[in-house]
Amino acid sequence: MKQLYDYQLKTNESFREAHKKSIENPQAFWGEIASTFKWQQPWEEVLRYDWSVPKTAWFLGGKLNITENCLDCHVVTHPDKDALIWEPNDPNDATVRYTYKDLLSAVCQFANGLKNQGIKKGDRVCIYMPMVPELTIAVLACARIGAIHSVVFAGFSSTALAARINDASCALLITSDGAFRGNKTVPLKDIADQALAQCESVKKCFVFQRTFQEINWNPRKDIWWHDFIEGLADTCTPAIMDAEDPLFILYTSGSTGKPKGMVHSCGGYMVYTAYTFMNVFQYQPEDIYWCTADIGWITGHSYMIYGPLACGATSLHFEGVPSYPKWNRFWEICEKHKVTQFYTAPTAIRALAKHPTKLIEDYDLSSLKVLGSVGEPINEEAWHWYDTHIGYNETPIVDTWWQTETGGILISSLAGVTPQKPTYATLPMPGIQAALVDNEGKVIIENEAEGILTINYPWPSIARTIYGDHERYKEVYFSAFEGRYFPGDGALRDVDGNYRITGRVDDVVIVSGHNLGTAPIENAINAHPAVVESAVVGYPHDIKGNALMAYVILYESIEDNATLISEVREEISKQIGPIAKPDRVMVVSGLPKTRSGKIMRRILRKLAANEIDQLGDISTLLNPEIVDEIIAGLAKE
Ligand code: WTA
């Protein structure tokens, strides 16, 4: 029988062949790859889909548990290999390692604890934790017993956390006393307490002790992690899951309204994340793979936990930030652990590039074989800096385009195997049928073109729905262009068919790699009693990629705008999180509107970007004089 690694593509020709086969016969293609995993019961049908509903199902009738494939299978073949290497925030603290055997035991023990608390298959469990190994253990323990995990990034506020807990009616919250982030300590339990005051569904709160800071204790609800796992068995029979049962919910911002709880299922997600991990990063058995993301985002789920572990890899997790104690921390970790694959975000690359290269030159980075980028378009300058200073102009760079909704990488080169091109994600992965369309939805045939990116055929790890709101799922992803998945991104294509993603075509702004919908930020601003209306737009920023500017109209003009502006920023921080605070807030007497009353965001974006000469014709606006007022305001900023 073939093994997963028999499907590792090692030449450009084999990539082309695989892609061709995946299009000619997707079912045979994915069926073969899926057969290399452990299934409790084989599937009856590889794929059934109808995107007019929309409905997508893979490996129908198949039964499995993803943790068996991520842990038990490797305990049989390489029990003592490191599954997880954990680097703490403080470089003076010890590295922690979990072999596959250790990780399985820890996951099973925690899973037994969850069961003892009455958590069962299908229950939703919210995880709001720092980047400690226990976060990964909690995630996998949920998967072990079939509970649906919903990880919320620990930078979100109590209001944002409560909204996510309530949306999925979570039965349990797992958190920690606090979190270390660089020289800061974040009071996670306090934030969690504030959230739980608004969440009736949560019966218990498990608290992992990380910072040993003082916290409030609610004896009816709170349980220490170390207390409740004490004495529990470290084996736990995996729940038998249907391939299409939900594995997790992960929230992502939409251009309007509340966050979207993307639901991923067990079978297809496992197959696709493992296949793409192994191929994009060209993982080899001795490699030490490091992705610098947070597990609170999809990159953490797919390419720090599930993909690498399903491939039997060693995945390094880092608790801290690139700047602590100094801006050399990433390189120190690379040298210390002889990291072979390093996967980070353009925003981190740009921030690192601002610091003297001396901070890199002190370290031996010769172990690095692959560099990766994810989360936003990588600009030319950042690409070349990465290539020159970290890759010494010889390490392949993979620019991986994908989304929370896609579950795994859809467009990327395969490191050292397929051609790379600066700032281009390059070619769709095997199984991915991409097309560019124009605004009317007409497919653009010519290779060299610019348009809106769409995907025309299902792949195994596509999110199956938005939790509790299938109508919205249909509306957002399948209504713009009939029969096609619409990711919300624009793209350029070159003569060779390589794609370069140009950015969002909706009202989502990616700030430092975090997706932020402008509507929820406007809602937060409008909650201030002095505010009539507001508009938030993104504009280019040389480190964050994009920054936010808010234009605010007040009921009455006031003397002290500074206090108001800081209150508005605080409100945003409270409702969403500090990441959503706009860099600039301008008080204006009106917003440029069309005669039908629509805010002209395009003009506000140009103004924020200081592209005053590119405003176009503004004479048809309802209130063109506002533009002059804003220009005068910009001059005073
Ligand atoms: C953007 C992150 C250009 C894109 C995995 C997408 C990218 C959104 C790239 C999804 C890339 C992600 N080049 N843009 N390599 N990767 N994006 O859900 O706009 O946090 O739609 O998933 O990030 O962000 P999300």
Side-chain angles (χ1 to χ4, degrees):
M1 209 183 90
K2 281 197 168 181
Q3 307 284 310
L4 178 62
Y5 279 89
D6 294 331
Y7 292 91
Q8 194 170 45
L9 304 166
K10 295 186 175 135
T11 61
N12 197 17
E13 294 68 49
S14 60
F15 161 74
R16 298 224 168 239
E17 253 169 53
H19 199 270
K20 187 160 170 270
K21 181 170 173 191
S22 75
I23 287 182
E24 286 168 0
N25 194 343
Q27 312 217 7
F29 179 82
W30 288 114
E32 269 185 42
I33 293 162
S35 309
T36 66
F37 291 87
K38 177 165 184 193
W39 295 81
Q40 299 272 355
Q41 186 181 301
W43 60 87
E44 286 144 21
E45 199 179 340
V46 173
L47 167 67
R48 194 185 298 166
Y49 84 107
D50 177 354
W51 278 0
S52 68
V53 178
K55 169 104 186 119
T56 308
W58 285 88
F59 312 114
L60 291 91
K63 307 275 182 211
L64 79 161
N65 187 293
I66 195 167
T67 67
E68 266 200 295
N69 285 281
C70 288
L71 300 169
D72 307 59
C73 291
H74 307 303
V75 170
V76 175
T77 52
H78 45 261
D80 299 321
K81 177 175 176 172
D82 285 332
L84 204 69
I85 301 179
W86 179 72
E87 244 335 276
N89 181 59
D90 185 337
N92 298 315
D93 290 347
T95 302
V96 175
R97 290 165 190 276
Y98 280 81
T99 63
Y100 272 91
K101 203 166 83 208
D102 300 337
L103 189 57
L104 175 62
S105 302
V107 166
C108 286
Q109 191 176 44
F110 194 76
N112 286 329
L114 291 173
K115 283 206 274 193
N116 279 354
Q117 293 297 331
I119 301 297
K120 7 172 245 314
K121 183 173 170 178
D123 286 349
R124 277 80 57 210
V125 173
C126 180
I127 305 177
Y128 183 68
M129 284 184 82
M131 279 285 295
V132 289
E134 286 72 13
L135 166 52
T136 300
I137 291 166
V139 162
L140 291 167
C142 288
R144 188 77 173 176
I145 64 166
I148 303 169
H149 55 79
S150 166
V151 182
V152 175
F153 173 58
F156 276 120
S157 69
S158 59
T159 312
L161 173 62
R164 286 159 177 76
I165 292 174
N166 288 334
D167 185 69
S169 318
C170 295
L172 173 76
L173 175 67
I174 308 174
T175 188
S176 69
D177 47 356
F180 292 126
R181 267 184 79 75
N183 54 15
K184 281 199 262 187
T185 309
V186 186
L188 283 195
K189 174 68 163 61
D190 286 356
I191 301 172
D193 285 344
Q194 287 165 28
L196 288 190
Q198 310 158 50
C199 302
E200 282 181 8
S201 59
V202 174
K203 303 287 175 281
K204 293 280 180 227
C205 177
F206 292 173
V207 188
F208 175 70
Q209 199 164 24
R210 173 64 187 123
T211 54
F212 290 82
Q213 68 200 92
E214 249 185 60
I215 53 172
N216 284 324
W217 197 254
N218 175 348
R220 283 209 318 255
K221 219 172 231 179
D222 299 340
I223 310 173
W224 283 114
W225 176 295
H226 49 264
D227 283 344
F228 95 103
I229 59 165
E230 206 182 278
L232 295 180
D234 65 357
T235 55
C236 169
T237 311
I240 297 180
M241 306 295 286
D242 192 275
E244 281 297 310
D245 277 339
L247 173 63
F248 65 85
I249 302 171
L250 186 62
Y251 287 86
T252 187
S253 309
S255 45
T256 56
K258 57 178 193 172
K260 301 171 289 191
M262 305 314 305
V263 179
H264 282 284
S265 60
C266 297
Y269 177 81
M270 171 183 75
V271 172
Y272 194 80
T273 53
Y275 180 77
T276 48
F277 171 77
M278 158 184 93
N279 279 309
V280 170
F281 298 102
Q282 290 291 305
Y283 188 85
Q284 302 302 315
E286 303 307 316
D287 288 350
I288 309 288
Y289 162 89
W290 180 21
C291 169
T292 70
D294 191 288
I295 288 167
W297 309 115
I298 191 69
T299 309
H301 283 58
S302 302
Y303 297 109
M304 291 174 77
I305 301 183
Y306 289 114
L309 296 181
C311 289
T314 299
S315 179
L316 192 149
H317 294 187
F318 174 43
E319 182 183 31
V321 292
S323 56
Y324 181 78
K326 282 203 305 205
W327 277 96
N328 59 359
R329 189 71 195 280
F330 273 5
W331 321 126
E332 184 198 75
I333 295 174
C334 283
E335 180 186 87
K336 179 173 174 189
H337 295 289
K338 300 201 169 38
V339 170
T340 45
Q341 284 91 352
F342 177 73
Y343 188 30
T344 196
T347 187
I349 298 169
R350 288 188 296 261
L352 289 158
K354 293 270 171 217
H355 294 86
T357 49
K358 172 86 178 73
L359 290 171
I360 308 163
E361 287 149 11
D362 286 347
Y363 297 93
D364 175 5
L365 300 183
S366 59
S367 58
L368 289 173
K369 296 193 291 188
V370 178
L371 302 177
S373 173
V374 61
E376 55 188 305
I378 181 164
N379 51 307
E380 197 89 36
E381 212 183 335
W383 196 98
H384 287 292
W385 183 88
Y386 203 24
D387 185 39
T388 308
H389 296 287
I390 311 303
Y392 296 94
N393 296 113
E394 56 182 32
T395 312
I397 297 182
V398 290
D399 176 7
T400 63
W401 174 80
W402 58 297
Q403 310 179 291
T404 306
E405 296 85 335
T406 68
I409 297 167
L410 297 198
I411 304 185
S412 172
S413 54
L414 311 186
V417 169
T418 64
Q420 67 186 37
K421 178 170 176 175
T423 76
Y424 279 71
T426 74
L427 299 176
M429 296 295 295
I432 303 306
Q433 303 186 24
L436 285 183
V437 299
D438 63 18
N439 285 333
E440 277 68 54
K442 213 167 113 259
V443 175
I444 305 171
I445 311 284
E446 311 77 54
N447 254 357
E448 208 171 3
E450 179 163 14
I452 297 166
L453 186 60
T454 62
I455 311 291
N456 310 330
Y457 196 83
W459 62 98
S461 65
I462 183 174
R464 303 300 196 252
T465 189
I466 292 176
Y467 191 82
D469 200 349
H470 199 66
E471 255 319 293
R472 187 173 179 202
Y473 173 76
K474 177 176 184 170
E475 170 67 30
V476 176
Y477 305 107
F478 294 94
S479 303
F481 307 106
E482 210 188 315
R484 297 170 195 282
Y485 170 78
F486 167 61
D489 284 318
L492 285 173
R493 190 167 53 204
D494 73 5
V495 280
D496 301 316
N498 290 307
Y499 286 92
R500 173 185 183 160
I501 313 303
T502 47
R504 302 289 312 177
V505 294
D506 56 10
D507 288 326
V508 171
V509 183
I510 305 188
V511 179
S512 299
H514 304 312
N515 293 8
L516 297 169
T518 51
I521 303 176
E522 288 164 6
N523 292 343
I525 299 175
N526 299 349
H528 192 288
V531 174
V532 182
E533 193 181 12
S534 62
V536 172
V537 296
Y539 64 93
H541 184 280
D542 65 352
I543 292 181
K544 301 186 199 181
N546 294 291
L548 296 172
M549 174 160 185
Y551 299 89
V552 181
I553 308 176
L554 304 180
Y555 282 104
E556 283 169 43
S557 69
I558 47 173
E559 289 274 302
D560 180 16
N561 279 347
T563 309
L564 177 111
I565 288 172
S566 77
E567 283 169 6
V568 158
R569 296 179 83 241
E570 264 327 295
E571 187 62 31
I572 295 169
S573 189
K574 206 172 107 206
Q575 289 207 24
I576 303 165
I579 48 176
K581 282 202 245 180
D583 273 24
R584 290 152 72 198
V585 180
M586 181 184 274
V587 175
V588 290
S589 70
L591 294 166
K593 290 192 177 172
T594 60
R595 286 179 191 277
S596 59
K598 215 167 160 281
I599 298 175
M600 286 296 284
R601 289 170 189 280
R602 187 183 58 77
I603 291 181
L604 292 174
R605 278 194 285 267
K606 293 272 178 218
L607 289 166
N610 224 343
E611 292 170 350
I612 293 163
D613 50 339
Q614 293 172 35
L615 293 177
D617 181 14
I618 57 166
S619 64
T620 57
L621 291 178
L622 184 68
N623 49 357
E625 69 284 355
I626 285 299
V627 175
D628 296 324
E629 179 193 314
I630 295 175
I631 292 173
L634 289 172
K636 283 195 230 127
E637 259 190 343

